Amino acid sequence: MKSVYLSPSTQEHNVGYGDYGTEEERMNEIADVVQNVLKNHGVAVYRNRPDWSLKKIVSDSNAKKPDVHFAIHSNAGGGRGCEVFVCCPGGEAEKIARIVYSEIEAITPSEDRGVKFNPNLYE
């Protein structure tokens, strides 16, 4: 993998429980850590901006043509546990999804939801 597009949530009005803050704040904190790790391993990192629309984010990622587009979101609406979505089974995409899932699943305090496939993903 030579390049990754990090796309942390831009949902500034999605406020978490207690002093969690917003999804946008927390997912950008995670993206900061991931970005540093990737750069330290020689991976080119591209990233969205919190004020961009989803359409702008997807357009920017498509223009940069990264090897991986990595959207970072927290569950809402009753969802609990780790899950990783990938466009289709097989190949590098599934391999990367399973690696990411195994790392996150190990630190998630609730039952997890696995790797899921969806060819209709927009981001």
Side-chain angles (χ1 to χ4, degrees):
M1 177 174 30
K2 298 176 186 171
S3 63
V4 173
Y5 192 100
L6 295 179
S7 183
S9 175
T10 59
Q11 297 178 48
E12 64 189 37
H13 300 294
N14 188 2
V15 179
Y17 179 76
D19 59 355
Y20 177 84
T22 68
E23 180 174 5
E24 178 183 271
E25 292 168 333
R26 294 293 171 245
M27 298 308 105
N28 272 280
E29 289 174 354
I30 291 169
D32 291 343
V33 172
V34 172
Q35 182 172 345
N36 287 334
V37 169
L38 291 171
K39 284 186 171 186
N40 287 339
H41 284 88
V43 176
V45 178
Y46 308 108
R47 189 164 169 178
N48 71 353
R49 294 176 46 113
D51 59 327
W52 286 356
S53 68
L54 185 56
K55 183 177 180 179
K56 169 69 176 162
I57 293 166
V58 171
S59 175
D60 189 55
S61 179
N62 287 340
K64 291 183 171 51
K65 300 183 188 308
D67 296 313
V68 173
H69 179 98
F70 186 33
I72 305 171
H73 293 264
S74 58
N75 285 335
R80 288 184 58 90
C82 172
E83 62 187 348
V84 174
F85 283 89
V86 64
C87 62
C88 51
E92 287 297 308
E94 181 179 357
K95 180 180 175 183
I96 291 167
R98 293 201 180 280
I99 291 169
V100 168
Y101 177 78
S102 70
E103 294 294 322
I104 298 172
E105 178 267 338
I107 61 172
T108 305
S110 61
E111 187 173 328
D112 294 308
R113 300 164 70 172
V115 173
K116 299 178 180 180
F117 304 102
N118 185 341
N120 299 313
L121 295 173
Y122 183 66
E123 180 188 29

